[in-house]
Amino acid sequence: MTPDARALVDAVRRELAAAADPVKAPQMQRYMKSAMPFRGVNAPELRAICRRVFAAHPLPDEATWRSAVLALHDDAAYREERYAATELTGHRLYRAHQHPGVLDLYRHQVVTGAWWDLVDPIASNRVGPVLRAFPADVVPVLRAWARDDDLWLRRTAVISQLGSKGATDTEVLRDVLEQNLLGSRHGDDFFIRKAVGWALRQHARTDPEWVLHFVAEHSDRLSNLSRREALKHLP
């Protein structure tokens, strides 16, 4: 790690330690079913810490930014450090780094994070915007992730367009959903069934007819959970 990255990482850890709440920490760990301990820092306070530290320790280039993200994520002793890594990936100073080449970093975070609290922000808030900006490069990656042996890469592919609204690529949405219905590699898993329903429910806000048609067309392979979520806000 470069000195710039080290300074940022060390500052994040110091501030998290100073804000630690030993009463909240075990409660948060139990709720998240996490083997990794928590400091007990809630989300608003963590985001405030990140804003202060990131502003005070700007990173000069993409390589340094990546090394800081990986240090916070891979070497985390507390789960909030991984949350800080995710915050760093989306900081305004590093918007230029949001291009197809960053997908290997996000893939690593998804596969090693392997739980919804770490995966979902990467899927919808990081991978999704890169998809919308560079569809020709990212669509093949998402199609591959939707077929991967890893459950969390599949979930990422399914929910990556949650924020796309009218820009949703319905051809891609259909493909990643169809690869993850009942009978697929992880189609019976709760986190996949929930993701399928969530993706459909979100798109129903933009195109309810498309969702109704998809649900009717795939009624034999949609779980009750997925169907219930998909139709939650529809007549």
Side-chain angles (χ1 to χ4, degrees):
M1 215 182 339
T2 66
D4 289 325
R6 172 57 65 192
L8 182 147
V9 170
D10 288 348
V12 167
R13 290 174 177 159
R14 280 196 306 272
E15 293 234 15
L16 289 175
D21 185 328
V23 175
K24 289 181 181 177
Q27 299 169 357
M28 294 169 73
Q29 185 176 0
R30 282 194 300 271
Y31 172 76
M32 201 53 65
K33 301 177 181 178
S34 172
M36 184 180 293
F38 278 76
R39 283 289 195 187
V41 180
N42 61 32
E45 190 170 10
L46 182 138
R47 286 193 288 269
I49 288 170
C50 288
R51 285 194 296 270
R52 288 197 302 271
V53 172
F54 299 165
H57 298 275
L59 303 173
D61 52 43
E62 184 172 345
T64 307
W65 169 76
R66 278 176 171 259
S67 69
V69 170
L70 287 171
L72 286 168
H73 182 89
D74 291 348
D75 302 332
Y78 297 90
R79 202 164 188 87
E80 288 94 340
E81 293 172 37
R82 287 192 160 183
Y83 297 159
T86 300
E87 290 291 319
L88 183 57
T89 61
H91 193 269
R92 59 181 177 77
L93 291 176
Y94 311 110
R95 287 176 185 156
H97 307 334
Q98 304 303 315
H99 53 72
V102 80
L103 292 181
D104 65 320
L105 175 63
Y106 294 155
R107 186 188 197 282
H108 174 77
Q109 289 183 273
V110 164
V111 171
T112 57
W115 200 242
W116 65 269
D117 62 324
L118 296 168
V119 169
D120 293 2
I122 294 292
S124 58
N125 299 332
R126 303 293 182 267
V127 175
V130 178
L131 167 66
R132 291 189 288 276
F134 304 93
D137 296 298
V138 179
V139 165
V141 176
L142 278 190
R143 290 187 190 274
W145 287 4
R147 294 160 170 80
D148 199 274
D149 286 341
D150 186 86
L151 180 154
W152 298 103
L153 283 177
R154 285 176 176 253
R155 181 174 168 97
T156 297
V158 169
I159 66 172
S160 61
Q161 295 197 78
L162 289 180
S164 293
K165 299 181 180 179
T168 299
D169 185 328
T170 52
E171 182 180 340
V172 173
L173 181 61
R174 171 180 289 275
D175 180 45
V176 300
L177 288 171
E178 288 177 343
Q179 296 302 318
N180 290 284
L181 301 180
L182 293 177
S184 65
R185 175 71 174 82
H186 293 291
D188 294 333
D189 187 274
F190 169 80
F191 288 103
I192 294 298
R193 291 184 289 119
K194 185 74 171 180
V196 167
W198 188 9
L200 288 167
R201 185 185 75 208
Q202 192 69 10
H203 190 55
R205 299 175 186 274
T206 298
D207 192 345
E209 291 300 322
W210 189 95
V211 172
L212 288 169
H213 179 74
F214 185 93
V215 170
E217 183 182 359
H218 299 85
S219 60
D220 59 332
R221 294 191 62 210
L222 274 174
S223 71
N224 290 334
L225 172 61
S226 298
R227 182 181 296 104
R228 187 165 61 248
E229 287 290 313
L231 303 178
K232 192 169 186 177
H233 301 301
L234 294 177

